[in-house]
């Protein structure tokens, strides 16, 4: 593979010696931290500075090691470094865990000395956030024990990762022309294939393979759920869901309203499946038919070089400064483009404060890959601007808004492609794609969110969750979300086993809220509403200085209002009507 299509991680660490020196620096600073701890009240500023320095260095190490493992998980050295840096990160977390309880235990007199002192100016916002967490903070000793235990608690996720991406072997798809082996990277592409026999074989073989390990995956997922439930209880939250939403200052009603709104619009989704069934001329519509595009005669190959120009054209409404950052990503090796053996499946944007915002992809020369590219570039530009405009401690935007920039980019791409198409078959393809994006991002992620809500509630009530219980819950949700006119294949009951997001508790609902916000913000930008672009760019630069709900309100999308979600769902319904008219 040409070097221009690989990311350049050497910009983080060029040699093993540099990695070794960074590890030694962390260890040395941990020793200094121990010495400062004995006289904490006399060294508050030094403690905070050292904590920041430790966080910045370990973040750099962990990010690099994790991406090297994702580059090729079959290289033992990559696995070893990733595990070692994870252990070191856990140690840093444990050793610095006393700082928050210590600060919260300061007397009023001590707080008066530091709260308005110029020396602590950059920490004032952090102090405000910390005081908000006071009622859920444990003692110094308890925080140390809890932090120390996180390495053990993360075993469930690590086991899932290694089993799913390194150890599991998938069979050959006999009905594929080249007898290709099923992988995480090509699975969705196979489900989008016009050959129904191939789709069915890929679908069944994916879940039959997972079925061989269903008890192990059930054990790892239940372990992750129990960890969240136990941590929430120790911190005095009523539920793991409340704990997950509390850090973003998001009310539980936002989560519940999302599920309620999506339920209200399920008839529109059912109508979509009926349209697709009729156009594909199927007697029965199965789950492995849900991904195929109904534009039968449209198969546009888009090589990566062409995708780059499409992306730049689509994002012109965001201005020259924004597009110049996109050009940097292409020119300066931010992106690892193509799939290869041992590489992690899927796509993500990652990096640290001291690195480029890298992108891992598995580009497949199709429109789906172009959308993935522009999606991840949205994340990367958001990260780039957040880091450039904030101190390290305020540079990481919250997960709640993480999907807004990425899906705004996708909305702009849809608009660009439809605006420049005179081909009815292409328009049909694009509208179908738009609908599928909504189906996957709003309906599917909300179904995931409902699965999380149910499973965590059962665990909180003391119920054990084995593979049978997890399959039953998941199967019933598929029946609800796909409707009675769709054949709910028994294999789908195991889909939960292959979803990595379930190990980041109550994360997936943010995809749905993010797309809803993106629908509003992208339309404001396209309509050139007064101040819309400036407000949006200010949002991208904010980091985590404001809570996410406030950030979005300032950008022009109020996610506390149920109508914001419904506004996006109404656009989904409108596209269903357009699809119906085109197919007739």
């Amino acid at each position: 593979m040409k070097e221009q299509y690989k990311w350049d991680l050497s910009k983080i660490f060029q040699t093993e010696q540099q990695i070794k020196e960074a590890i030694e620096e962390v260890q040395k600073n941990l020793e200094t931290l121990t010495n400062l701890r004995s006289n904490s009240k006399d060294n508050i500023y030094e403690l905070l500075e050292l904590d920041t320095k430790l966080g910045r260095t370990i973040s750099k190490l962990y990010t690099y090691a994790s991406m090297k493992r994702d580059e090729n998980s079959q290289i033992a050295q990559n696995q070893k470094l990733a595990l070692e840096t994870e252990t070191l990160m856990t140690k840093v977390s444990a050793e610095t865990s006393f700082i928050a309880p210590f600060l919260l235990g300061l007397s009023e007199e001590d707080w008066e000395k530091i709260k308005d002192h110029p020396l602590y100016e950059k920490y004032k916002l952090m102090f405000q956030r910390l005081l908000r967490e006071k009622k859920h903070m444990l003692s110094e000793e308890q925080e140390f024990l809890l932090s120390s235990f996180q390495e053990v608690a993360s075993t469930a996720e690590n086991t899932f990762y290694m089993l799913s991406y390194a150890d599991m072997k998938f069979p050959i798809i006999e009905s594929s022309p080249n007898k290709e082996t099923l992988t995480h990277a090509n699975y969705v592409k196979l489900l989008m294939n016009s050959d129904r026999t191939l789709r069915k074989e890929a679908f069944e073989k994916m879940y039959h393979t997972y079925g061989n390990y269903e008890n192990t995956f059930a054990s790892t997922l239940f372990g992750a759920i129990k960890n969240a439930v136990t941590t929430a209880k120790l911190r005095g939250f009523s539920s793991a869901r409340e704990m997950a939403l509390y850090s973003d200052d998001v009310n539980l009603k936002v989560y519940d309203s999302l599920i309620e709104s999506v339920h209200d619009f399920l008839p529109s989704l059912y109508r979509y499946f009926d349209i697709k069934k009729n156009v594909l001329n199927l007697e029965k519509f199965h789950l492995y038919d849900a991904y195929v595009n109904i534009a039968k005669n449209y198969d546009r190959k888009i090589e990566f070089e062409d995708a780059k120009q499409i992306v730049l054209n689509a994002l012109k409404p965001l201005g020259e400064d924004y597009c110049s950052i996109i050009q940097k990503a292409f020119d300066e090796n931010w992106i690892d483009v193509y799939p290869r053996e041992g590489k992690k499946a899927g796509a993500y944007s990652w990096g640290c404060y001291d690195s480029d915002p890298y992108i891992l992809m598995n580009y497949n020369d199709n429109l789906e890959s172009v959308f993935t590219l522009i999606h991840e570039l949205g994340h990367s530009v958001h990260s780039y601007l957040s880091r450039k405009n904030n101190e390290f401690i305020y540079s990481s935007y919250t997960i709640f808004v993480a999907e807004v920039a990425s899906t705004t980019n996708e909305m702009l791409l849809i608009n660009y492609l439809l605006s420049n198409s005179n081909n009815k078959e292409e328009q049909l393809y694009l509208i179908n794609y738009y609908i599928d994006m909504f189906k996957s991002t709003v309906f599917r992620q909300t179904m995931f969110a409902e699965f999380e809500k149910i499973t965590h509630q059962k665990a909180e009530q003391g119920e054990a969750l084995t593979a049978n219980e997890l399959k039953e819950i998941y199967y019933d949700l598929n029946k609800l979300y796909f409707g009675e006119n769709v054949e709910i294949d028994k294999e789908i009951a195991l889909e939960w086993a292959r979803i990595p997001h379930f190990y980041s508790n109550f994360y997936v609902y943010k995809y749905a809220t993010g797309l809803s916000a993106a629908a509003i913000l992208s339309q404001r930008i396209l309509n050139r509403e007064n101040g819309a672009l400036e407000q949006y760019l200010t949002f991208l630069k904010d980091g985590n200085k404001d809570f996410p709900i406030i950030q979005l309100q300032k950008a022009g999308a109020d996610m506390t209002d149920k109508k914001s979600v419904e506004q996006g769902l109404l656009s989904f319904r409108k596209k269903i009507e357009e699809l119906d008219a085109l197919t007739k």
Side-chain angles (χ1 to χ4, degrees), residues 91 170 299 323 335-336 348 401 448 469 474 488 513 557 579:
K91 185 177 180 181
F170 292 98
D299 183 19
C323 289
I335 309 170
D336 200 84
Y348 64 64
V401 299
F448 287 173
E469 283 78 30
Y474 200 82
I488 310 301
T513 54
L579 183 71

Side-chain angles (χ1 to χ4, degrees), residues 22-30 54 57-58 61 88 92:
I23 292 172
E24 289 174 350
E25 178 189 331
V26 170
Q27 292 168 337
K28 182 179 179 181
N29 285 332
L30 284 173
L54 276 165
T57 307
I58 194 61
L61 278 165
L88 185 59
V92 170

Side-chain angles (χ1 to χ4, degrees), residues 265-280 285 289-294 428-429 431-440 443 482 486 572 575-577 579-580 583:
F265 279 81
L266 283 175
S268 296
L269 185 63
Y270 301 160
R271 183 183 177 193
Y272 167 57
F273 293 135
D274 288 338
I275 294 170
K276 182 171 273 193
K277 176 185 175 183
N278 292 333
V279 174
L280 295 175
F285 189 88
D289 299 317
Y291 284 86
V292 66
N293 196 293
I294 60 179
L428 182 64
Y429 182 94
I431 291 173
N432 192 165
Y433 184 91
Y434 178 93
I435 293 169
D436 277 346
M437 181 175 72
F438 245 94
K439 172 180 68 69
S440 299
F443 289 93
F482 281 87
V486 175
F572 171 79
K575 282 293 186 286
I576 297 291
E577 294 168 356
L579 183 71
D580 198 12
T583 55

Side-chain angles (χ1 to χ4, degrees), residues 468-486:
N468 287 336
E469 283 78 30
L470 293 169
K471 288 193 294 184
E472 182 180 355
I473 295 166
Y474 200 82
Y475 188 80
D476 288 344
L477 283 171
N478 272 269
K479 287 170 63 177
L480 170 64
Y481 277 75
F482 281 87
E484 60 183 19
N485 291 341
V486 175

